Amino acid sequence: MVMRKHQRYFPVFSPSGALLPAFVTVANGPIDAAAVAAGNEAVLRARFEDASFFYKEDLRQPLEEFRPKLKGTLFQKDLGTLLDKSDRVVSITAPLADAMGLGAAKGVAVEAARLAKADLATSTVMEMTALAGTMGRHYALKQGLQPEVAEAIFEAALPRQAGDKLPASPAGIVVAVADRLDSLVGLVAAVGAPSATADPYGLRRAAYGMLQALVSNNVQLSLSSAVSLAAAAQPVKVDAKAQAAVLDFVGRRLEQLLVDAGVPAEAGESS
């Protein structure tokens, strides 16, 4: 991440996928190759030293202690901070796990939900935001938390973009769905569903991510019941009209997801 984000270097991997101590960069025009290589190495070394410092500082305290710092980051003005959002996700995780038929995993899911966004307050993730979830899992393992909890912390962030891996563990599926469900219900009530191509809060991505987590793992869930559950946890009123708007918005994303997957229309309607 240091090479890619800060320096725009290409990292080099072995045929087996192991990261090698090498990089590729590009220079335009005639150059002194040795001088350019040495200069790039010096800058990269300094960047690595910064990253190492952030990482070591993060390890000085448990992941749990980063959670209160989420209070300093606004999620949305009517919906509160990231800590408020995290609390809402925790509150709906256990009943949502039962509704999804994954009640056996709800203990792990609730613990993971509490910590799933804590790494957003770490120095490493604030410096390299693409590592959200990845560092949460790593710090959880370093601090001796159950591997199942650590994996669910990571999977809660999945999928991060189109084509990304999807949550696969029961607890990870529950937390990933709970987080996106909270965003969809709260933001549609507070600011409305996206119109045309504008989608400043990434609600289309949230809906697709939630649906992919469910469909890819063959998990059944009553969306109307789930929306009602999330609506009750919101700090703003989510009336029947807003809940219907969420269901319509998610339903259209589901139709598109099924079309993209090559599922016949009649099969999509029956599901």
Side-chain angles (χ1 to χ4, degrees):
M1 288 304 302
V2 170
M3 285 190 279
R4 286 173 171 165
K5 177 183 176 182
H6 292 301
Q7 300 307 121
R8 306 301 187 192
Y9 297 160
F10 296 95
V12 181
F13 297 86
S14 73
S16 65
L19 184 63
L20 298 177
F23 63 88
V24 176
T25 189
V26 178
N28 294 326
I31 61 166
D32 180 334
V36 170
N40 279 278
E41 289 172 358
V43 173
L44 183 59
R45 187 173 296 109
R47 290 288 195 180
F48 277 149
E49 289 171 354
D50 288 344
S52 177
F53 172 79
F54 295 143
Y55 173 71
K56 290 173 182 175
E57 284 297 300
D58 288 343
L59 287 177
R60 290 167 63 89
Q61 55 186 314
L63 190 58
E64 175 74 32
E65 293 186 14
F66 286 100
R67 191 172 184 271
K69 298 178 183 179
L70 296 175
K71 191 173 183 179
T73 302
L74 185 68
F75 173 59
Q76 196 274 338
K77 64 182 182 66
D78 297 316
L79 303 177
T81 66
L82 281 180
L83 182 59
D84 296 323
K85 175 175 172 57
S86 176
D87 287 339
R88 291 195 299 272
V89 172
V90 171
S91 73
I92 67 173
T93 292
L96 191 62
D98 288 330
M100 295 165 68
L102 299 174
K106 63 184 174 184
V108 171
V110 169
E111 187 174 357
R114 274 189 55 78
L115 298 174
K117 293 191 179 300
D119 68 347
L120 295 178
T122 65
S123 297
T124 301
V125 174
M126 285 194 289
E127 184 71 11
M128 293 173 281
T129 55
L131 292 178
T134 298
M135 297 312 298
R137 174 176 61 182
H138 180 78
Y139 291 147
L141 290 171
K142 292 285 286 186
Q143 293 158 18
L145 296 183
Q146 296 178 56
E148 296 83 0
V149 172
E151 188 63 21
I153 289 172
F154 169 66
E155 290 184 333
L158 302 178
R160 293 158 294 191
Q161 65 270 329
D164 197 12
K165 64 178 67 175
L166 298 171
S169 73
I173 297 166
V174 172
V175 182
V177 170
D179 180 55
R180 286 157 179 80
L181 183 66
D182 172 79
S183 294
L184 287 162
V185 173
L187 288 167
V188 168
V191 301
S195 59
T197 58
D199 188 7
Y201 292 98
L203 290 184
R204 291 186 180 90
R205 184 173 66 251
Y208 278 121
M210 180 180 75
L211 293 169
Q212 287 175 316
L214 293 168
V215 172
S216 67
N217 291 287
N218 197 29
V219 174
Q220 296 188 3
L221 174 66
S222 166
L223 288 176
S224 59
S225 298
V227 167
S228 296
L229 175 66
Q234 299 302 316
V236 296
K237 182 179 180 181
V238 187
D239 57 20
K241 182 178 179 181
Q243 292 187 41
V246 175
L247 290 171
D248 177 66
F249 179 74
V250 173
R252 283 184 279 122
R253 305 287 86 71
L254 178 59
E255 289 175 3
Q256 187 60 53
L257 184 66
L258 294 174
V259 169
D260 292 343
V263 177
E266 59 272 17
E269 291 168 2
S270 65
S271 63

